[in-house]
Amino acid sequence: MVGVLDLVLGGIAIGILVWGFERYRSRFVKSDLLIAGVLAGGILLFVVLPGVYDVVGDALNIEQRFVLLSLLAHLATLAVVLYLLAALREANARFGDLVRNLSADQVAETDGGERTIFVVIPAYNEGATIRSVVQSLPETIRGYAVQPVVVSDGSADDTAENAKYNGTAVVEHPVNQGQGGALKTGFQIALDRGASIVVTMDGDGQHPADELERLVSPVIDDEADYVMGSRYKGEDHSGNSLVRESGIQVFTWLINVLTKSTITDCTNGFRAIRATGLEEMQLTEERFSAPELIIEARKNGLRMQEIPITIEERQAGETKKPQIKYALGITRTILTAWIR
């Protein structure tokens, strides 16, 4: 005889099936229909063939059928949550790609070619410093033309306007995409215009432009494909706290262990990359890009070199990296980039 609970569970199963069918009719995403079918099937199996759950319960040493049902329901809920998180991440990635593509298409044509160094400068609310940064860049380095590209990443101040100096290519993200997202926009612009070397530097004035030649020379001389600066081999005037300094050391150690590297400064944003090597990298990180770039360079066999540089104190403003979130994000990025 069919009990009240069986009727309730049957109604829930039918409701889930209807939801899945309606979602598929509206969006034609097979995964929604599949999830609904699996959940509904599991519930109906409990109603029609309760003996199946007795077998599973015996295997798990769970005597109460409803306790087993509760456990399975929690596992199913967890699976759905993980699926939704993955879908959300995919949607955010597609949105980020759309923002970057639309933004890059709006940039005026710039000079490029085999003997061009594109200097990509991600900037978020750096209106007070960005003009002095682009003004400090040389027009040429060892016969290579220098083309600055400033990516104003959803800035709410006059960053974009102040960056428009002496042929600087300026692109604006309508919404903030994070440093990694801003770098990817700059990389896309540089590669589309046939750059030979791509340099990245910060928009807050901490990376002295007079060290650019030392940074790119190993690439020009064909001694390296990826050159990164190290404050610990050079001079550090950033005034970082002990906690932040300790974190950098721990993350650098972790990357060295995982990738068999010998770097000393994994979060430094002052780097030069041969454009052909950059094309091979799989870059997905929106926020915490520095470790991903290093790991991708190692995985693609790029010749890496680290040189001493100077990190100056910020010319204005404050760091935009919250300690806890930044530490968790860096850890996630390192493990994700290494294992994929």
Side-chain angles (χ1 to χ4, degrees):
M1 183 175 179
V2 179
V4 175
L5 180 60
D6 292 334
L7 292 175
V8 171
L9 292 176
I12 292 174
I14 293 173
I16 292 174
L17 280 176
V18 170
W19 172 84
F21 177 68
E22 183 62 27
R23 291 277 290 179
Y24 185 72
R25 284 203 311 161
S26 303
R27 301 172 64 244
F28 294 99
V29 178
K30 292 181 180 179
S31 55
D32 291 346
L33 186 59
L34 178 62
I35 289 175
V38 170
L39 290 176
I43 295 173
L44 289 175
L45 192 64
F46 180 83
V47 175
V48 178
L49 297 173
V52 172
Y53 287 85
D54 292 335
V55 173
V56 176
D58 291 340
L60 297 177
N61 198 26
I62 298 176
E63 297 181 358
Q64 296 295 324
R65 185 178 300 171
F66 296 107
V67 174
L68 175 62
L69 178 62
S70 177
L71 173 63
L72 295 177
H74 280 82
L75 292 175
T77 301
L78 177 60
V80 171
V81 169
L82 293 176
Y83 162 75
L84 292 175
L85 288 174
L88 179 61
R89 185 172 179 82
E90 183 181 351
N92 286 335
R94 289 199 301 267
F95 176 72
D97 289 340
L98 177 62
V99 169
R100 287 188 293 274
N101 289 331
L102 291 176
S103 300
D105 289 343
Q106 295 173 6
V107 177
E109 275 301 320
T110 61
D111 294 333
E114 294 183 358
R115 296 187 66 84
T116 306
I117 299 170
F118 274 71
V119 181
V120 177
I121 307 173
Y124 175 58
N125 291 338
E126 301 289 3
T129 58
I130 194 65
R131 172 59 67 94
S132 63
V133 171
V134 295
Q135 282 180 332
S136 69
L137 297 175
E139 293 187 0
T140 62
I141 296 177
R142 295 183 57 181
Y144 283 70
V146 175
Q147 174 59 61
V149 178
V150 174
V151 182
S152 178
D153 188 29
S155 299
D157 64 358
D158 52 0
T159 295
E161 187 62 31
N162 290 345
K164 296 175 182 177
Y165 170 81
N166 196 26
T168 299
V170 180
V171 57
E172 292 189 74
H173 285 169
V175 292
N176 183 268
Q177 293 294 294
Q179 187 183 61
L183 286 177
K184 284 194 285 187
T185 297
F187 292 160
Q188 179 180 331
I189 293 170
L191 294 177
D192 287 347
R193 286 156 178 77
S196 177
I197 301 170
V198 180
V199 169
T200 71
M201 63 187 298
D202 292 347
D204 56 13
Q206 289 191 292
H207 298 150
D210 57 11
E211 297 188 349
L212 267 173
E213 183 170 340
R214 288 198 305 109
L215 188 73
V216 301
S217 286
V219 181
I220 294 175
D221 295 334
D222 198 26
E223 297 173 354
D225 306 304
Y226 187 106
V227 182
M228 56 190 136
S230 170
R231 75 195 82 188
Y232 302 114
K233 289 185 174 181
E235 298 182 35
D236 184 12
H237 305 300
S238 61
N240 284 334
S241 67
L242 178 61
V243 173
R244 180 164 171 77
E245 289 291 336
S246 300
I248 293 173
Q249 297 295 332
V250 170
F251 296 134
T252 299
W253 171 83
L254 179 59
I255 290 176
N256 285 336
V257 169
L258 294 177
T259 65
K260 203 175 181 180
S261 301
T262 57
I263 61 173
T264 63
D265 191 357
C266 75
T267 63
N268 203 310
F270 201 28
R271 60 180 74 87
I273 311 171
R274 191 181 304 279
T276 53
L278 186 60
E279 291 174 341
E280 302 300 321
M281 295 186 187
Q282 181 185 350
L283 303 177
T284 61
E285 182 55 44
E286 300 288 342
R287 301 284 169 185
F288 312 99
S289 58
E292 181 182 50
L293 282 163
I294 294 170
I295 294 171
E296 280 295 311
R298 285 284 294 127
K299 291 169 76 170
N300 284 280
L302 271 63
R303 294 170 299 168
M304 302 178 70
Q305 189 177 129
E306 198 174 44
I307 66 168
I309 64 161
T310 301
I311 295 292
E312 301 289 0
E313 188 177 359
R314 286 181 62 94
Q315 294 179 10
E318 298 178 353
T319 180
K320 304 173 181 68
K321 299 181 178 71
Q323 289 184 355
I324 299 301
K325 184 177 180 181
Y326 187 73
L328 293 175
I330 287 284
T331 303
R332 175 189 57 77
T333 299
I334 291 172
L335 296 178
T336 301
W338 177 71
I339 204 168
R340 70 173 178 232

